[in-house]
Each structure stands twice: as C-alpha cells, then as structure tokens.
Amino acid sequence: MKKATLSKLENNRSASSTDLPASAPRQRFSFLIAGSAALVLGIVALLLINGSAVVKDSRQNLQMAVNLAHCGTMSGSDQPPCRPSMYRESLPVLVSAAMVRVVDGFLGKADNSQYFSGARVKYIKWQNAAWLMLLGWAVFCAARYFTASWVWAILAALLSVKPFLTATNVQGVNDLYTELPAAVLMTGAVYWLVKAVNRDSRVGFLAAGLCYGLLALAKAAMLYLFIGLLIVLLATYVKRALRARRLLNLLVLFAGAALVVTPWVARNWLTFGQAQISERGGLVLYTRALMNQVTPTEYRGSFYVWARPSLQPLVGRLLGFSAQDLALGGRLQRLNDDLGTELYQHDLRAEQAGRPQDAITLHRQARAERVRLESEFEAQRIPYPEVAADGAMAREGATLIEHNFGADLALAVPLIWRCAPVIFPALVITLAYALRSRKYLLALLVLPGLGLVVFYALATHFEPRPAIVAQSTAAIGVIVMLDALWQLRPRWLRRLGVSKC
C-alpha cells in the first residue's frame, strides 16, 4: 500500500510539473529569479576571464578560428598557406572566428602570434560568459520542467555551471575548449526533445534535431549517440504503436540534425574524401587499442594513476603504488602522461621523430605512430597525409579493439573511475529511478548523457574534460530525485513552515 501511494504521488508530481504549470505570477517570478541568476553568472565569468595564453586543444581551436577569420579557410596552419583542415569540430571554431572579427573591428588586425595571449584572447574568451549564461538558463528551464520549485531548478543550474567557474586554463571560462558550448547544446537538445515527446510537438522535434546537429559539430561523438537515440525512440514507438505521426516526428528530428551536419560533412568529403566531422577519431581509437594491452599490474595501477589527486595517496597505499612507479623505469611508466618529467621529454622526442618503437608511454606511442604514417603518406605524395594517416589508424584501432573487446570492457571501469566517478553513478541511479517510477521523460533526459560517458569509456582514452558535458543532465536527474524525496518529508516538518517554494 505504501509503495502504491509513493508511485501515485510521484506520478502526480510529474504531471503537476509539466502538464499543469504553476500560475502565471509564480512562473514570472521564478523566471525573473533565473534571469537574474544568469546575469550574475555572466558577470562572474567576465571577472574570471583574463588574457592568459591558450594551450593544447584550445590553441588548435583558436588557430583554426584566426585562419578562418583572416584567410577564409578553416585551417590549423600557423604559417601560410592556410591548408584546409578538419582536425577540430567546426562549431566552436566558427564562434571564435566571429569573435576574432569583432576584436579586429575594434583593435585592428594583428599578427597571428598576438591572438593567443593578452588583450585579444581575453576578448575572444568573452564568448564564454554568454555560453555560461545560456547553460544556467537551459538547466533551469529543464529542471523547472520536472519540478514545481524554482529553488530546485536554481540549485540544478548552480551544480551544472560549477565546473566552469574557474580561472585556470583547464576546462573553465578562461579557455576555449569545447566542453562549455557542448554542455549548453546537450542541455538544450534533451530539453527540447523531452518537451516534444511529451506534447507531440513537431516544432519541438525540429528544435531538438537542430540542437543535436550543433552538438555533433562541437563533439563529434554525439553523432553516433544521436543515431542510437533515434533507434531507441523508434523501438519505443514500435512497441507502443508506430503511427504515421510519430514516424514523421522522428523524420523531423533527423532532418533537423542533418540540416546542420550535412554541409560540414559534405565539405570534408569534397575536400578530403572523408565523410566525417573531424579527423581525430583514428588517433583516439588507436590510442585506446594500445591501452587495452595493459598488463595486470598496470591495470591495477590505473586506479591509482587515475584517482583524484586528493585520493591518490590513499589509493596508492591500498594498492601498493607510489609516485616512483610512474617515473622512468617504474612499473606504471607506460601510463604516465605528466608534462615536464624526464619521461615526457624522452617520449616527446620519439613522437617528433615518428618512432613509436622508441616511445615508452602508450599515449606517445600512438602519437608517434601518427607522425610516422604522415611521413609515409607524404612521401607517397598523398594530398592530405594527416587525413590518410588518421584513417589508417582508425581501421587498425577498430580491428584491435574488436579482437580484444573483453579487455576494452575491463578498461572502461578504471576510465570511468578516472573521469566520471560521480557523474556516471548519478546518471545510472537516475535512469533506474525513472524506469522504476515510470517517469520515461526523465529517462529520456538522462539517456544521452549516460550514453556519452559510456561511449567515451569504451571507445576512447577518456580524458577527464568530456565527462562534464553530461554533468548538467546528471544534476537535473539528482535534483528531480531529491525533489521527490522532499515531497515525502514528515508532517511535523511541514507544520514548522518548511514548505515548497
């Protein structure tokens, strides 16, 4: 009886938060609060942004943006001529190129080197203030759709933006990585899709499709996950009743994504002979295939190497590892990718020489193999040797993973421990809760984020940054569950005046 009452309460709760929205004055007040909070987030972001240099992936994104703004070609070359490239996804590059043009309008055009540190890059980074505001607003709207309290929705928004509120050049608003725009588009995509499915809205399906298309141009992996999501929706509709209108809705969803993605894929096909979004998939697959070949000692040590810095000493004591094991000649040297070490300098030379047999770390072995293949294809006078090398690595990496899939599954565990030790359990628990309580819209909300984490854990070496793209949907799921528990608070607590907002 108690279980039935709980299920009924939760289902009524879901209906009250979607089909029966709050009164107009309460809605206006809650969205006024959200707008004010988003504005504060934008101001905080502007204060955190400075002119510090962009490095690594951020520098590659910015270099392509500068070339696009100055010579009209999306190219990664830092010296003329600007040869076309598809090394990075296009959407963040397009946005940064627009910012470069704006900055040039005020400060005038400058040499290439002046765009990577100082005032110019600071102003280019200002785009992140808008992205952060959009993320907070999108999460608020999505959380508000599932809860009747604006307080819960604000809390979900704060949990989602927290990883980006940092001035360090890691993943926050002070860099030009792709995670922040991808998190915005992920949240917008799932929100529009939930609304579209709930209200049978063709406009909503189109909006969701456009968001998923843009998301694929920020994170190429989302293209595969989008196709999987279409299959899940189709299977659901077939089970319930495949009507013409539902099938048409899925076609609209697909068309929205295709409308965005097709021009970029067509450009890459016509230019490079490859119908894909970016060329880094081969390097990623090959790196993962090498990582699957770790020894039992290295596998056990990976939990130490990839633990959070605050947990590493404890994990090291439990597993019998220390920092010395990561040094040159240590038991875990092949897992070490720290900058500035003797091992790093040794492997960097091997990579630059294109000699994977001389590299020690798995990461540098893969990169050295890419350099070797590029040199080989260049000697054969292939027009774009970097693209040909990536394609060869993709085929070899896929073959190795297929033949050793058990090891691939096993390595997914420490990789999730490395990158999503909180986000992954939150998504799994939310999905289980949604299915058990028959809140299928909530399941639809968290499914793409869970799919993203699983995909990265199975097919890539899964650096920590990409996981935060799924943090917004994980935060919404946790907040919805907390809201359901809050509705069951004891009567004596309600009598004290502790009530919903």
Side-chain angles (χ1 to χ4, degrees):
M1 181 68 182
K2 184 177 180 181
K3 183 177 180 180
T5 303
L6 173 60
S7 177
K8 182 178 179 181
L9 175 60
E10 290 176 343
N11 290 331
N12 289 340
R13 177 64 178 164
S14 178
S16 66
S17 61
T18 55
D19 299 329
L20 299 175
S23 62
R26 287 175 63 99
Q27 276 195 327
R28 285 195 295 269
F29 175 73
S30 65
F31 281 99
L32 177 63
I33 293 292
S36 302
L39 183 60
V40 171
L41 286 175
I43 295 173
V44 171
L46 290 176
L47 294 175
L48 290 174
I49 293 172
N50 56 49
S52 59
V54 292
V55 297
K56 295 186 177 180
D57 294 357
S58 283
R59 186 179 182 88
Q60 295 169 356
N61 285 329
L62 184 54
Q63 183 64 73
M64 293 181 71
V66 171
N67 288 336
L68 180 60
H70 289 173
C71 58
T73 302
M74 199 170 289
S75 168
S77 305
D78 56 2
Q79 298 290 336
C82 294
R83 296 179 70 251
S85 173
M86 61 170 180
Y87 189 73
R88 310 293 309 181
E89 291 89 344
S90 60
L91 179 65
V93 174
L94 287 169
V95 175
S96 293
M99 291 298 296
V100 170
R101 296 293 295 270
V102 171
V103 170
D104 286 350
F106 285 95
L107 302 181
K109 191 175 177 180
D111 293 336
N112 182 77
S113 60
Q114 297 186 35
Y115 289 88
F116 298 92
S117 63
R120 289 178 184 273
V121 77
K122 174 183 178 180
Y123 299 139
I124 293 171
K125 292 177 188 175
W126 276 6
Q127 62 177 285
N128 289 333
W131 284 120
L132 194 72
M133 293 170 66
L134 285 173
L135 179 60
W137 180 259
V139 172
F140 174 85
C141 291
R144 191 72 174 82
Y145 199 72
F146 286 93
T147 67
S149 169
W150 62 265
V151 175
W152 288 117
I154 288 289
L155 182 57
L158 292 177
L159 289 174
S160 300
V161 303
K162 182 181 179 297
F164 302 104
L165 290 175
T166 172
T168 60
N169 295 70
V170 180
Q171 63 190 24
V173 294
N174 202 35
D175 63 45
L176 291 173
Y177 287 109
T178 60
E179 278 67 38
L180 179 53
V184 174
L185 294 167
M186 166 79 85
T187 307
V190 295
Y191 173 56
W192 277 109
L193 187 57
V194 163
K195 289 183 64 177
V197 171
N198 191 37
R199 299 179 180 178
D200 197 23
S201 167
R202 196 155 295 162
V203 173
F205 278 103
L206 177 61
L210 293 172
C211 285
Y212 273 112
L214 292 171
L215 178 57
L217 295 184
K219 286 292 181 185
M222 284 306 304
L223 181 62
Y224 305 104
L225 297 177
F226 175 69
I227 295 172
L229 183 62
L230 284 175
I231 295 173
V232 170
L233 287 173
L234 181 60
T236 303
Y237 285 162
V238 167
K239 183 178 180 180
R240 294 172 58 188
L242 185 59
R243 299 170 184 165
R245 180 174 179 81
R246 289 175 176 171
L247 183 58
L248 186 58
N249 286 340
L250 292 184
L251 290 175
V252 170
L253 177 64
F254 174 80
L259 185 66
V260 176
V261 173
T262 300
W264 176 248
V265 173
R267 175 259 192 188
N268 293 338
W269 170 257
L270 294 174
T271 305
F272 308 105
Q274 300 286 337
Q276 57 193 60
I277 292 178
S278 72
E279 73 180 55
R280 302 189 322 281
L283 175 62
V284 169
L285 275 177
Y286 189 79
T287 302
R288 177 53 188 273
L290 293 183
M291 291 175 66
N292 289 341
Q293 300 171 12
V294 294
T295 65
T297 299
E298 288 172 333
Y299 181 82
R300 185 164 53 91
S302 66
F303 289 93
Y304 162 71
V305 177
W306 295 334
R308 291 291 189 268
S310 59
L311 295 176
Q312 264 192 337
L314 174 61
V315 177
R317 286 194 297 271
L318 292 174
L319 298 179
F321 294 103
S322 67
Q324 189 62 35
D325 291 304
L326 287 165
L328 187 63
R331 293 181 294 171
L332 305 178
Q333 62 174 350
R334 295 205 305 165
L335 301 179
N336 189 352
D337 56 1
D338 286 343
L339 303 179
T341 62
E342 180 185 359
L343 181 57
Y344 174 82
Q345 296 301 326
H346 172 276
D347 274 18
L348 183 61
R349 289 191 294 270
E351 177 189 344
Q352 293 170 343
R355 295 180 58 84
Q357 67 273 20
D358 293 342
I360 296 174
T361 62
L362 299 171
H363 180 66
R364 291 293 164 181
Q365 285 178 20
R367 298 179 73 90
E369 175 66 9
R370 181 180 64 176
V371 174
R372 186 191 70 80
L373 287 172
E374 286 183 17
S375 299
E376 182 179 303
F377 287 126
E378 188 174 6
Q380 298 174 12
R381 299 184 182 278
I382 292 179
Y384 295 98
E386 68 278 8
V387 176
D390 193 76
M393 295 183 77
R395 292 186 293 271
E396 178 66 16
T399 300
L400 291 173
I401 290 175
E402 181 182 356
H403 291 165
N404 199 16
F405 191 63
D408 190 79
L409 287 174
L411 194 64
V413 178
L415 282 173
I416 289 176
W417 162 251
R418 175 192 191 186
C419 304
V422 176
I423 293 175
F424 180 75
L427 290 168
V428 170
I429 293 171
T430 303
L431 181 62
Y433 162 76
L435 294 176
R436 181 173 179 79
S437 59
R438 298 185 179 181
K439 292 187 175 183
Y440 299 121
L441 292 179
L442 181 60
L444 184 61
L445 180 93
V446 300
L447 197 58
L450 180 59
L452 181 70
V453 173
V454 171
F455 178 87
Y456 274 106
L458 290 176
T460 76
H461 49 287
F462 204 7
E463 295 179 349
R465 283 187 290 108
I468 63 173
V469 176
Q471 178 153 327
S472 58
T473 51
I476 295 169
V478 169
I479 288 301
V480 171
M481 290 188 292
L482 289 176
D483 182 45
L485 289 174
W486 178 248
Q487 302 309 311
L488 300 176
R489 63 193 183 280
R491 291 183 179 179
W492 64 267
L493 195 58
R494 300 187 190 191
R495 290 172 183 171
L496 291 178
V498 182
S499 59
K500 65 183 182 180
C501 297

